[in-house]
Amino acid sequence: MAAVIQRPLRGSRISTFYPVKNLPSLSSLDSAFQLQEYISLLIRLDVHDVEAITSLPGTSGESNKEDEKEKEGEKSKSSAPEVSVDEACWIYEQLRRLAQDLSHPLITTLQQECTRASCPEMKAGEWLYLCVAHGNDGAMEQCCAIDYILHTVDSATALLNSPRTFPSRLSIPQTSHRHFSSLARRLGRIFAHAYFHHREAFEQAEAESSLYARFLALTSKFDLVPSEFLVIPAASSSSSSFSGSAHHDHQHPHHPPPPTVTRSKFGRNRTDTMVFADAEA
């Protein structure tokens, strides 16, 4: 089967290739970064369809989308050879794209209002997060929220692009799987701070990108982050409007039991960078 060319030709108008109107099959993408391009096409097709974006190609989420396209009269992809996607490679590419998409619109919006003066500590509700980007030997220090956020994105990007930890994007070493849970947990703290302390920016970014919904779908589907580390109320995160009872919960905080150290599918979660804010008062 001939490969589908997804790259724009010289002189093409941007309206001819964005947004994506037809989703090609994964096997038709002739690229060294096949999964990266496929995820990008899924996002451009419908950024709010987080189930389709995070589902492994060939699973129920993808099958439903292809069935809908066939009903619309599009060309069937059944003749294309099936591609077996390694789960670890899929999670790696999803986390890589997640760290990239955090920059805009969420972090660019936060930089306008989250300052060293307004948020001198990295908090999310009653939780205080300590930064490990200072010093050596895993030294933990407090830093302002915006610095913590930038340090987290920078360290996640550096780790995901480290040739020592991830020498290949086609095959992830078993020893590197343990980083997935830690990466997802730390990136999730950015959403938590925005939700509790910059609600309007969080809602605006979510309405535009559904990035937290994608994060939740990814972490729950592949067991990356235990529920006790997801501090945003579940009822609020699943609704289209992040208001109402969530504001009430924030005004009258309660102290849940400290999260226990649990072992997820992709490694153990550390909890020593997450403490009660009252303990530091």
Side-chain angles (χ1 to χ4, degrees):
M1 180 179 177
V4 177
I5 299 177
Q6 291 294 322
R7 297 170 182 81
L9 301 177
R10 180 179 298 178
S12 299
R13 294 181 180 273
I14 193 170
S15 59
T16 63
F17 50 92
Y18 293 137
V20 175
K21 297 181 177 63
N22 301 319
L23 181 67
S25 63
L26 179 60
S27 59
S28 67
L29 298 178
D30 183 18
S31 170
F33 307 106
Q34 192 180 47
L35 292 181
Q36 175 185 335
E37 290 192 15
Y38 189 67
I39 292 172
S40 179
L41 290 171
L42 284 169
I43 292 172
R44 289 193 178 276
L45 183 66
D46 186 356
V47 71
H48 302 294
D49 191 354
V50 297
E51 181 65 25
I53 294 172
T54 58
S55 296
L56 271 169
T59 57
S60 58
E62 287 294 313
S63 299
N64 293 337
K65 183 168 285 293
E66 290 185 1
D67 291 342
E68 292 176 1
K69 290 183 176 299
E70 290 177 2
K71 291 179 181 179
E72 293 173 359
E74 296 184 2
K75 185 177 180 180
S76 174
K77 306 297 189 301
S78 58
S79 59
E82 294 186 1
V83 176
S84 177
V85 178
D86 181 71
E87 184 175 302
C89 291
W90 182 253
I91 295 173
Y92 170 85
E93 293 294 346
Q94 289 284 351
L95 289 173
R96 197 171 184 275
R97 182 59 192 245
L98 188 73
Q100 175 184 333
D101 289 347
L102 268 168
S103 298
H104 181 79
L106 183 58
I107 293 181
T108 52
T109 304
L110 288 179
Q111 286 180 309
Q112 301 175 20
E113 58 183 75
C114 184
T115 64
R116 290 178 172 85
S118 64
C119 300
E121 297 174 320
M122 179 61 178
K123 291 183 178 180
E126 61 263 31
W127 292 108
L128 172 69
Y129 300 117
L130 304 178
C131 186
V132 296
H134 307 274
N136 300 318
D137 301 325
M140 297 177 294
E141 295 182 10
Q142 290 188 33
C143 66
C144 66
I146 192 61
D147 284 351
Y148 183 102
I149 290 171
L150 297 178
H151 292 162
T152 298
V153 174
D154 288 346
S155 62
T157 303
L159 180 61
L160 289 168
N161 288 283
S162 169
R164 182 175 182 179
T165 307
F166 298 102
S168 171
R169 293 169 65 175
L170 302 178
S171 177
I172 307 298
Q174 185 68 34
T175 54
S176 298
H177 291 186
R178 61 188 177 89
H179 295 291
F180 291 154
S181 181
S182 176
L183 284 168
R185 176 169 47 83
R186 293 182 186 279
L187 291 175
R189 294 174 178 179
I190 299 175
F191 295 109
H193 175 77
Y195 175 84
F196 283 104
H197 300 279
H198 307 279
R199 186 69 59 85
E200 186 177 349
F202 177 85
E203 292 176 355
Q204 179 182 347
E206 192 65 9
E208 181 178 338
S209 65
S210 290
L211 192 58
Y212 182 66
R214 193 201 311 172
F215 170 80
L216 278 184
L218 179 68
T219 55
S220 62
K221 192 182 299 292
F222 298 103
D223 190 26
L224 297 180
V225 182
S227 59
E228 59 264 28
F229 290 96
L230 301 174
V231 298
I232 296 179
S236 299
S237 61
S238 61
S239 64
S240 58
S241 176
F242 294 87
S243 58
S245 62
H247 285 284
H248 178 77
D249 292 341
H250 182 47
Q251 293 170 359
H252 303 280
H254 63 283
H255 291 289
T260 56
V261 179
T262 55
R263 182 174 293 277
S264 68
K265 183 177 180 180
F266 290 98
R268 198 181 76 168
N269 295 279
R270 289 178 55 192
T271 59
D272 48 358
T273 59
M274 181 178 180
V275 298
F276 279 123
D278 291 351
E280 298 293 323

